[in-house]
């Protein structure tokens, strides 16, 4: 095979190996899956991915429970803000917070979510650790071809202390302060 095929095969094998490791961990510890909220408002709307989307599958593979079951498909759809508030308040963890890199930025976009469980407990993370000086985000560049690295980050976020790395050494993600 070509060098690219070998690289993709290695990434696929590492992803599958991580999924097995995560399942073994969850089975052996009987750990409850944390519920996971995603996204932030975008152009006045809040989009939630379908329960068959790549992001929902990645959350499940990483040992989380995607909070939104109102859309069984693979595409995202706008969700009304009352429902967003209820979802966020019942979530343990919140990831992929749009352009927000600090808690202040996130709460400026969605002030009503200030008292929700993930915000109060400080379990809010965004995939913005590797921002480029010009504003580009490496998560959307290399992360799409390195799902194994994204999976390892999410597992570390969902199950701190049990994971491949701690949340201080995440590759794509950072905890909003």
């Amino acid at each position: 095979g070509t060098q690219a095929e070998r690289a993709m095969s290695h990434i696929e094998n590492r992803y599958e190996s991580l999924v097995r490791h995560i399942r073994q961990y969850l089975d052996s510890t009987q750990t409850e899956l944390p519920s996971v909220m995603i996204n932030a408002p975008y152009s006045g709307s809040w989009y939630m991915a379908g329960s068959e989307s790549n992001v929902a599958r990645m959350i499940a593979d990483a040992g989380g429970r995607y909070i939104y079951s109102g859309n069984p498909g693979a595409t995202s759809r706008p969700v009304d803000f009352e429902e967003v508030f209820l979802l966020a308040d019942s979530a343990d963890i919140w990831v992929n917070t749009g352009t927000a890199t600090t808690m202040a930025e996130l709460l400026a976009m969605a002030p009503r979510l200030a008292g929700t469980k993930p915000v109060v407990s400080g379990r809010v993370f965004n995939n913005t650790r590797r921002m480029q000086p010009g504003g580009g985000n490496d998560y959307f560049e290399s992360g799409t071809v390195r799902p194994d690295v994204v999976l390892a980050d999410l597992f570390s976020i969902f199950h701190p202390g049990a994971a491949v790395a701690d949340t201080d050494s995440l590759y794509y993600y950072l905890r909003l302060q």
Side-chain angles (χ1 to χ4, degrees):
T2 66
Q3 187 175 353
E5 287 168 338
R6 284 193 303 275
M8 292 311 292
S9 177
H10 168 75
I11 291 166
E12 184 179 355
N13 291 340
R14 182 166 185 260
Y15 187 97
E16 293 304 326
S17 174
L18 276 168
V19 168
R20 284 192 301 278
H21 169 78
I22 291 165
R23 288 194 182 125
Q24 287 169 349
Y25 166 77
L26 295 172
D27 289 346
S28 67
T29 59
Q30 297 297 302
T31 303
E32 192 173 325
L33 303 183
S35 54
V36 181
M37 177 66 179
I38 63 166
N39 296 346
Y42 179 77
S43 297
S45 296
W46 197 299
Y47 290 87
M48 292 296 285
S51 57
E52 295 171 27
S53 64
N54 288 339
V55 70
R57 176 176 174 213
M58 182 81 72
I59 288 168
D61 285 351
R65 184 176 53 77
Y66 180 45
I67 196 109
Y68 185 59
S69 58
N71 175 8
T75 58
S76 294
R77 70 175 187 134
V79 175
D80 126 329
F81 204 82
E82 288 308 313
E83 187 171 9
V84 165
F85 177 80
L86 294 171
L87 290 168
D89 201 38
S90 61
D92 297 307
I93 297 166
W94 183 0
V95 297
N96 300 358
T97 56
T99 58
T101 57
T102 66
M103 198 67 84
E105 288 173 5
L106 179 62
L107 295 178
M109 287 191 273
R112 291 182 53 208
L113 300 184
T116 58
K117 189 164 51 163
V119 172
V120 171
S121 68
R123 294 186 77 189
V124 181
F125 296 82
N126 202 3
N127 51 26
T128 51
R129 179 177 291 273
R130 299 175 58 79
M131 294 295 288
Q132 309 305 319
N137 184 346
D138 189 40
Y139 173 84
F140 296 108
E141 293 163 26
S142 71
T144 55
V145 293
R146 290 308 308 267
D148 54 324
V149 178
V150 176
L151 181 68
D153 273 6
L154 290 175
F155 180 54
S156 298
I157 289 167
F158 298 168
H159 301 281
V164 228
D166 64 45
T167 54
D168 290 331
S169 61
L170 298 171
Y171 192 79
Y172 290 112
Y173 282 83
L174 54 80
R175 182 189 303 262
L176 268 59
Q177 303 289 339

